[in-house]
Amino acid sequence: MNITTQEVLQVAGLARLELDPAHLHRIVSQIQDILAYMATLNALDTTGVEPTSHAIALTSAFREDKPGEHLEREEALSGAPERDAESFLVPRVIG
Amino acid sequence: MQPFQLTIEAAANLLARRELSAEELTRSVLERVDAVEPRVEAYLTVDAPGALAQAREADRRLAAGDAGPLTGIPLSLKDVLCTRGLRTTCGSRILENFVPPYDATVVERLRRAGAVLVGKTNMDEFAMGSSTENSAFKPTRNPWDTRRIPGGSSGGAAAAVAADMCLGALGSDTGGSIRQPASHCGVVGLKPTYGRVSRFGLVAFASSLDQIGPLGKSVADCARILAAIAGHDPRDATSVPETVPDYQAALTGDLHGLRIGIPDFAAIGGLDPAVARSVAAAIGTLESLGARQVPVSLPHTAYAVATYYIIAPSEACSNLARYDGVRFGARAGGQTDLLEMYRATRSKGFGEEVQRRILLGTYALSAGYYDAYYRKASQVRTLIVEDFKRAFAACDVLVSPVAPTPAFPIGAKADDPLTMYLSDIFTIPANLAGIPGLAVPCGFADDGLPVGLQIQARHFNEETLLRVGHAFEQATDFHQHKPPL
């Protein structure tokens, strides 16, 4: 089960990445090597083993439903590549 | 001795006795930065005016008798920590001009403690790497041999401490990124228990593995920094509401009755003989101090790297989805279509290793492959957690090398990501299990490069790590050696 160039391109599309065609062969071959190494995990029988997503057991952290401190609009917009007085601006989405 | 060479402990004593001012100390450190930074390249941003203003404020607090253990102490911050009003790049082009509108909780706590923040240190882009070569801006050099890597991803932090360009530092550790560079640069580095230190304001890489921690010239200095940054923070739901113990009080020097477990690290391929020799000698030193060896086994360590390099990229590809050129960070110009804008922004903004990990993570989480990769890795993570539980039923600390070899030459592994990943074998398991790990200098290879000893303990047992590391330091002088800069 190893990844093809076509699959790498498809995954890149999902991740909103455009791969440089000049490097594509190398990128695919590195990812194939890495995935082949990942396959060593298949040597382990994990039937019935519960997965761990978080190493420390924590219950949900609740707080009172009251507004806390927050960024003022001007601060929130301060790093925007393109903005007007009150919004982030993006290329037109609807024609 | 010049002020910049002082440990935090020694400097704090001189500051308290008013034999040295915070401004003199800060000027000394800034002069040191001017002198050696061109050869080491540890910093991405040096904030000299800010540091001097903070030093003068610290002097006022010292004069008023309102000083704490870090007041007036020049520290550096890895550039993954948000600093209000001060550029935070994460080593990436995509954040090259990002100026955060808020401080990370750890930064806020250091400011409140009166620390002087010298600047932001270099790192592998988004903390992805083991050599700091993945910084989009420049590689940092190892102060012990400037042709070699300092380790990573907190390579700038470790090099800055080793080269006396700050008295201590904050780094972050997702798979060894504090401990491995500390080891390669001959300084002390501590990855606390997951949840011990708030991650609010730490630019996220792999959220179930990331943890902020100190690097310093001694274990006592790391204990001092940890005390300032540890503790619950309502802004990080994964920070743990447990009391922070008195870490200084843990530095008793007494190891009698301590049970040390030695995993079979020699079985891991590629272990450098100098590393094996230094770690074996260090174990002998711990025994001479009253510790005794008990047998332990961590049978799933050999699977840790594969597990980590599925889980970490999976979390990373999700975390890095936020870099879309809309709210902050760089945007590729000239695009009239939204999707084209996303693609151009991300492809130009992220470096090769970051793109590789996004691809791996996206693949591992995608329909049809989730069970084979992410779920499988999460199950093996459980087996690794259980290995540690069994081991810690028999021993108080686990002792091993930090890295299989001393620092390698710049460029040596640059085209071989898998070989680079494999060098994280000893440090990765602690992140998967969330346990704390400490790196302390324990020897030198024949060519003079530092070797580090890793000590690991149960969750929230930083006191034990600090006690063992401190006792080891009292019996040895490896941490006092300085690089020949």
Side-chain angles (χ1 to χ4, degrees):
Chain A
M1 182 174 66
N2 216 330
I3 194 166
T4 62
T5 302
Q6 198 48 46
E7 284 174 308
V8 170
L9 289 170
Q10 193 191 340
V11 167
L14 292 172
R16 306 282 184 254
L17 290 172
E18 223 159 28
L19 301 179
D20 183 344
H23 296 151
L24 188 59
H25 180 72
R26 190 167 50 94
I27 292 169
V28 172
S29 122
Q30 284 172 340
I31 289 183
Q32 285 173 340
D33 287 351
I34 294 165
L35 290 175
Y37 179 73
M38 304 309 187
T40 54
L41 296 186
N42 296 330
L44 285 173
D45 181 5
T46 50
T47 315
V49 177
E50 280 297 309
T52 296
S53 59
H54 205 275
I56 304 283
L58 274 178
T59 48
S60 296
F62 290 109
R63 65 165 172 79
E64 270 190 87
D65 189 15
K66 282 196 314 201
E69 54 175 320
H70 57 88
L71 288 181
E72 295 302 327
R73 180 159 65 194
E74 189 48 42
E75 285 181 311
L77 288 167
S78 65
E82 205 185 334
R83 53 168 287 191
D84 61 17
E86 49 191 33
S87 323
F88 300 106
L89 296 184
V90 295
R92 180 175 289 276
V93 182
I94 303 165
Chain B
M1 188 184 261
Q2 305 273 348
F4 64 74
Q5 293 173 299
L6 294 166
T7 60
I8 295 175
E9 198 176 12
N13 288 337
L14 292 175
L15 291 171
R17 294 204 299 267
R18 317 304 318 279
E19 288 169 27
L20 176 70
S21 75
E23 188 173 345
E24 285 163 348
L25 176 59
T26 299
R27 283 191 191 282
S28 170
V29 167
L30 290 170
E31 281 164 20
R32 175 68 174 172
V33 172
D34 285 343
V36 300
E37 175 65 3
R39 277 173 286 158
V40 180
E41 309 220 64
Y43 281 96
L44 289 173
T45 303
V46 176
D47 181 22
L52 287 168
Q54 291 158 28
R56 285 189 283 268
E57 175 58 28
D59 279 327
R60 279 189 287 276
R61 280 179 66 169
L62 285 153
D66 171 34
L70 291 177
T71 306
I73 302 297
L75 302 176
S76 67
L77 303 169
K78 184 179 182 181
D79 211 18
V80 69
L81 297 167
C82 285
T83 43
R84 186 184 167 95
L86 188 64
R87 191 174 81 121
T88 300
T89 70
C90 230
S92 182
R93 291 271 172 227
I94 212 160
L95 290 177
E96 187 167 4
N97 299 307
F98 174 56
V99 178
Y102 60 87
D103 276 331
T105 295
V106 291
V107 174
E108 209 174 80
R109 289 186 181 183
L110 289 183
R111 288 194 203 279
R112 210 179 304 142
V116 171
L117 306 177
V118 178
K120 311 291 295 285
T121 54
N122 197 19
M123 55 185 284
D124 287 298
E125 184 177 4
F126 285 102
M128 297 178 190
S130 313
S131 69
T132 314
E133 292 167 294
N134 293 337
S135 164
F137 304 107
K138 59 186 182 184
T140 293
R141 293 161 186 282
N142 191 312
W144 293 87
D145 176 351
T146 52
R147 290 163 304 177
R148 290 176 185 266
I149 57 106
S153 66
S154 311
V161 173
D164 291 320
M165 290 196 273
C166 55
L167 271 62
L170 289 188
S172 66
D173 190 315
T174 304
S177 283
I178 289 174
R179 291 160 287 159
Q180 184 255 23
S183 172
H184 284 342
C185 291
V187 301
V188 180
L190 171 66
K191 181 201 95 73
T193 308
Y194 183 84
R196 178 82 285 180
V197 176
S198 166
R199 293 182 294 111
F200 178 79
L202 167 74
V203 178
F205 160 15
S207 303
S208 83
L209 306 164
D210 297 340
Q211 188 62 194
I212 300 167
L215 294 96
K217 299 179 190 180
S218 71
V219 172
D221 282 3
C222 285
R224 208 177 264 249
I225 298 173
L226 179 64
I229 61 171
H232 180 245
D233 174 14
R235 293 178 296 186
D236 173 3
T238 63
S239 78
V240 172
E242 285 205 21
T243 337
V244 178
D246 180 349
Y247 293 120
Q248 292 295 325
L251 310 179
T252 59
D254 183 10
L255 298 188
H256 283 96
L258 183 86
R259 297 167 305 164
I260 51 175
I262 320 288
D264 186 13
F265 55 79
I268 303 288
L271 189 66
D272 184 278
V275 172
R277 204 166 53 235
S278 300
V279 171
I283 292 165
T285 302
L286 293 174
E287 287 181 309
S288 73
L289 294 168
R292 66 187 165 85
Q293 280 193 46
V294 295
V296 292
S297 159
L298 298 167
H300 297 97
T301 298
Y303 300 98
V305 172
T307 303
Y308 174 88
Y309 279 98
I310 292 170
I311 291 174
S314 295
E315 295 187 16
C317 78
S318 167
N319 274 324
L320 271 58
R322 72 191 62 174
Y323 302 99
D324 56 4
V326 175
R327 290 152 303 140
F328 54 88
R331 173 189 293 189
Q335 306 297 330
T336 52
D337 176 78
L338 186 65
L339 280 182
E340 280 307 315
M341 189 279 280
Y342 290 157
R343 278 196 282 267
T345 294
R346 291 164 62 79
S347 305
K348 284 185 187 152
F350 293 138
E352 193 176 299
E353 178 63 21
V354 173
Q355 295 199 30
R356 184 155 47 234
R357 295 206 197 182
I358 290 174
L359 291 172
L360 281 169
T362 307
Y363 182 66
L365 294 178
S366 60
Y369 298 102
Y370 179 88
D371 282 346
Y373 290 103
Y374 185 76
R375 186 178 159 83
K376 181 79 181 180
S378 302
Q379 289 176 309
V380 180
R381 185 175 186 182
T382 303
L383 300 177
I384 290 168
V385 168
E386 286 169 357
D387 277 358
F388 278 117
K389 275 191 193 148
R390 270 193 301 275
F392 285 127
C395 70
D396 302 305
V397 291
L398 286 163
V399 171
S400 70
V402 177
T405 67
F408 48 86
I410 290 173
K413 299 185 185 178
D415 293 327
D416 190 357
L418 184 57
T419 306
M420 186 84 91
Y421 297 172
L422 293 172
S423 66
D424 300 339
I425 179 70
F426 295 121
T427 48
I428 275 174
N431 299 81
L432 291 171
I435 62 169
L438 177 72
V440 288
C442 75
F444 293 92
D446 295 337
D447 45 11
L449 296 170
V451 174
L453 179 74
Q454 176 171 238
I455 310 165
Q456 300 174 97
R458 293 178 200 104
H459 290 142
F460 301 104
N461 238 307
E462 283 82 1
E463 287 166 287
T464 306
L465 291 186
L466 295 164
R467 176 163 62 95
V468 177
H470 175 74
F472 181 75
E473 264 182 9
Q474 300 306 298
T476 57
D477 70 349
F478 304 116
H479 64 294
Q480 288 168 345
H481 289 242
K482 292 285 184 189
L485 267 178

